């Protein structure tokens, strides 16, 4: 399929159904928000048509009403950044809501051919401007295909939300749309900024590169339960430590393949570094972080010297980082660890060399979002242009992992034909 034919049916600003109270009109950003990427985070929810599907007019009205109700609890998403970028004016200006009709696609066929159509996924997303004080923090696009299937595309500012917050928001919206009721007890914004206030950070600052190779390519690689079991066996046969997680073994393999490509290209090996994100919720001794909304994560860094084997280094470093988080005796200690990890990440990036970034969305309830059409057939990421970045997500059944890998064109050619990738990855989504 060369291009999706998408006709916009509705475009409007949706505001919270109840005005935000005056005492909540200003939300201070936290230190964790401050060091988050200045970008929008996308996600797509794909729903096949069902016999219980409502008429589009009824479904549209319900979706808009339930989103407006949900925004009363997620009110910062309808606000705007203040000029200082250290706070959000929760002024109920609204979020962008778009409905489209996709006239030349059947969702079942589209998903079956997904490896060939992956570049088209971005068309299901709302257009969002670069971050400015006047920029929106959330955009939603509801795409109705000619078969009756629906794809909901969401873009949210990473400066106000991480994967946990995004998943919480989507599931609450789905729950409200399905039941016409909101939950009695919901997590709240503002707690993280009281614990970890934003501050002036010294030293070099990270900014996204302006010279990204225009020929970056995103591909999705599926590691099913059998492939992960094989990876576990390989690691455990040489391991002296505890059993690594499935996320750690997939990260390790991808890192190994990428360093192999680098070695072959240069004719020699060199030091490489892997950065990964760790969700702080449930890992620190600060229980109030468990359900906090906003950004609540820190970075971990693994370095391996040229010529050394990877073994289970990734899993060990993840465990060591989590141990340091759990041992932080106070909020100040945890803040110091967060800033230290962030500075290490910036320093490694600025030094150049082989630096690979990973983030994992595994373990979040993406597939629980039932708007009334059943649970999604697929929850996906999209094509992106962040060179040497990999995002991991659970497969629908929860025991496999999808790896969304972004590389330059030449590296992707080598990656796709690597024997480990050819042996372990499913070529077609199941």
């Amino acid at each position: 399929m060369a291009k999706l034919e998408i006709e916009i049916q509705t475009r409007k600003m949706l505001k919270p159904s109840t005005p935000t109270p005056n005492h909540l009109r200003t939300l201070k950003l936290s230190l964790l928000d401050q060091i988050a990427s200045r970008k929008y985070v996308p996600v797509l929810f794909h729903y096949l048509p069902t016999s219980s599907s409502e008429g589009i007019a009824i479904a549209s009205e319900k979706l808009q009403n339930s989103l407006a109700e949900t925004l009363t609890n997620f009110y910062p998403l309808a606000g705007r950044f203040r000029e200082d970028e250290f706070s959000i004016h929760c002024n109920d200006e609204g979020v962008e809501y778009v409905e489209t009709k996709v006239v030349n696609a059947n969702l079942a066929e589209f998903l079956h051919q997904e490896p060939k159509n992956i570049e088209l996924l971005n068309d299901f997303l709302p257009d969002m401007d670069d971050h400015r004080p006047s920029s929106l923090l959330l955009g939603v696009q509801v795409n109705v295909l000619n078969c009756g299937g629906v794809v909901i595309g969401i873009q949210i500012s990473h400066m106000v939300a991480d994967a946990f917050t995004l998943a919480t928001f989507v599931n609450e919206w789905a729950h409200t749309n399905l039941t016409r009721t909101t939950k009695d007890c919901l997590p709240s914004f503002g707690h993280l900024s009281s614990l970890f206030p934003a501050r002036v950070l010294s030293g070099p600052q990270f900014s996204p590169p302006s010279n990204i190779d225009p020929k970056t390519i995103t591909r999705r690689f599926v590691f099913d339960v059998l492939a992960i079991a094989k990876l576990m066996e390989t690691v455990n046969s040489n391991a002296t430590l505890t059993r690594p997680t499935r996320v750690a073994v997939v990260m390790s393999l991808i890192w190994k393949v990428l360093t192999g490509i680098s070695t072959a290209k240069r004719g020699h090996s060199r030091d490489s570094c892997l950065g990964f994100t760790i969700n702080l919720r449930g890992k620190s001794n600060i229980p109030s972080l468990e359900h906090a909304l906003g950004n609540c994560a820190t970075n971990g860094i693994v370095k391996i010297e040229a010529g050394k084997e990877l073994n289970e280094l990734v899993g060990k470093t993840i465990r060591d980082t989590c141990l340091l988080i759990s041992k932080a005796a106070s909020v100040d200690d945890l803040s110091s660890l967060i800033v230290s990890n962030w500075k290490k990440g910036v320093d490694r990036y600025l030094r150049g060399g082989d630096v690979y970034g990973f983030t994992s969305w595994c373990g979040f309830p993406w597939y629980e979002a039932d708007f009334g059409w059943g649970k999604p057939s697929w929850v996906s990421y999209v094509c992106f242009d962040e060179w040497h970045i990999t995002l991991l997500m659970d497969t629908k059944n929860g025991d496999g992992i999808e790896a969304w890998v972004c590389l330059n064109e030449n590296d992707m050619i080598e990656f796709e034909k690597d024997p480990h990738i050819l042996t372990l990855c499913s070529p077609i989504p199941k």
Side-chain angles (χ1 to χ4, degrees):
M1 185 179 297
K3 186 178 180 181
L4 291 174
E5 295 180 21
I6 297 181
E7 300 174 354
I8 294 178
Q9 308 294 304
T10 301
R11 183 191 296 274
K12 62 172 64 175
M13 282 290 162
L14 272 183
K15 301 182 178 184
S17 58
T18 302
T20 299
N22 289 333
H23 71 283
L24 297 177
R25 286 274 167 162
T26 298
L27 175 70
K28 293 181 180 179
L29 295 182
S30 72
L31 168 67
L32 298 162
D33 298 325
Q34 183 185 1
I35 62 180
S37 300
R38 264 60 168 172
K39 65 179 183 180
Y40 290 100
V41 179
V43 66
L44 298 175
F45 295 81
H46 306 255
Y47 297 89
L48 291 171
T50 65
S51 57
S52 61
S53 296
E54 299 172 294
I56 184 59
I58 297 174
S60 171
E61 183 179 3
K62 280 183 63 178
L63 284 170
Q64 293 182 49
N65 290 340
S66 60
L67 178 55
E69 291 177 25
T70 305
L71 288 173
T72 61
N73 290 312
F74 291 81
Y75 56 91
L77 302 183
R80 300 292 184 270
F81 286 115
R82 291 188 183 275
E83 291 287 348
D84 60 9
E85 289 196 345
F86 281 83
S87 63
I88 295 172
H89 186 199
C90 305
N91 56 5
D92 298 337
E93 281 196 33
V95 305
E96 178 156 271
Y97 179 85
V98 181
E99 286 180 6
T100 76
K101 180 180 180 181
V102 186
V103 300
N104 66 331
N106 177 289
L107 188 56
E109 294 176 1
F110 183 89
L111 296 184
H112 179 70
Q113 298 175 358
E114 175 268 323
K116 300 178 181 178
N117 293 331
I118 191 168
E119 286 82 7
L120 301 179
L121 291 173
N122 296 58
D123 293 344
F124 292 127
L125 291 171
D127 290 329
M128 304 293 281
D129 293 330
D130 292 334
H131 276 96
R132 300 191 304 270
S134 60
S135 296
L136 280 74
L137 304 185
L138 175 69
V140 174
Q141 184 167 310
V142 179
N143 306 275
V144 181
L145 285 76
N146 57 12
C147 63
V150 176
V151 180
I152 296 181
I154 296 173
Q155 295 230 64
I156 195 167
S157 169
H158 203 337
M159 290 184 68
V160 293
D162 57 10
F164 172 90
T165 304
L166 176 54
T168 301
F169 163 74
V170 174
N171 276 286
E172 176 56 23
W173 177 23
H175 171 83
T176 303
N177 192 73
L178 179 65
T179 66
R180 301 189 181 185
T181 62
T182 57
K183 295 176 182 176
D184 293 333
C185 184
L186 283 170
S188 61
F189 288 90
H191 180 63
L192 289 170
S193 59
S194 65
L195 292 175
F196 308 104
R199 64 179 77 170
V200 176
L201 295 170
S202 60
Q205 302 293 303
F206 172 79
S207 59
S210 58
N211 59 344
I212 284 286
D213 188 334
K215 294 183 179 179
T216 55
I217 294 176
T218 302
R219 291 288 182 265
R220 181 177 73 114
F221 301 89
V222 181
F223 296 84
D224 62 21
V225 63
L226 295 178
I228 292 175
K230 289 179 182 178
L231 287 172
M232 291 281 195
E233 289 174 7
T234 301
V235 173
N236 288 335
S237 64
N238 300 315
T240 58
L241 300 173
T242 57
R243 179 181 175 88
T245 66
R246 59 197 186 96
V247 168
V249 295
V250 170
M251 287 170 58
S252 298
L253 174 71
I254 294 175
W255 189 13
K256 181 177 182 179
V257 173
L258 293 176
T259 54
I261 293 171
S262 174
T263 298
K265 184 165 51 177
R266 293 176 172 81
H268 62 86
S269 62
R270 63 176 182 172
D271 295 355
S272 66
C273 182
L274 182 151
F276 54 91
T277 304
I278 293 182
N279 181 13
L280 293 172
R281 300 173 182 88
K283 296 181 179 68
S284 80
N285 61 9
I286 304 173
S288 58
L289 294 183
E290 189 74 27
H291 302 290
L293 296 180
N295 286 287
C296 191
T298 188
N299 297 321
I301 303 292
V302 189
K303 180 183 177 183
I304 187 167
E305 296 178 2
K308 288 195 175 181
E309 285 295 324
L310 216 58
N311 294 327
E312 60 163 7
L313 185 59
V314 174
K316 180 180 183 302
T317 304
I318 292 174
R319 288 191 295 272
D320 290 348
T321 305
C322 290
L323 185 61
L324 288 174
I325 293 170
S326 67
K327 285 185 174 180
S330 66
V331 171
D332 288 342
D333 289 343
L334 189 53
S335 295
S336 297
L337 176 63
I338 291 166
V339 172
S340 174
N341 287 349
W342 174 75
K343 287 184 175 180
K344 286 178 183 177
V346 172
D347 179 63
R348 292 293 183 191
Y349 181 84
L350 294 177
R351 286 186 191 182
D354 292 339
V355 181
Y356 307 104
F358 284 77
T359 187
S360 172
W361 284 8
C362 296
F364 294 116
W366 303 109
Y367 283 92
E368 297 301 312
D370 182 356
F371 287 86
W373 319 305
K375 295 180 180 179
S377 297
W378 186 36
V379 179
S380 76
Y381 205 64
V382 297
C383 290
F384 54 112
D385 59 0
E386 295 178 74
W387 192 24
H388 283 173
I389 295 291
T390 297
L391 181 136
L392 305 179
M393 298 183 71
D394 291 317
T395 54
K396 185 176 181 178
N397 58 18
D399 56 13
I401 290 180
E402 298 181 4
W404 293 74
V405 183
C406 185
L407 301 171
N408 67 44
E409 189 174 29
N410 292 331
D411 286 354
M412 183 60 76
I413 291 171
E414 298 302 317
F415 189 90
E416 289 183 304
K417 66 182 184 182
D418 181 89
H420 297 92
I421 300 301
L422 289 173
T423 302
L424 292 168
C425 291
S426 305
I428 298 175
K430 297 180 178 179

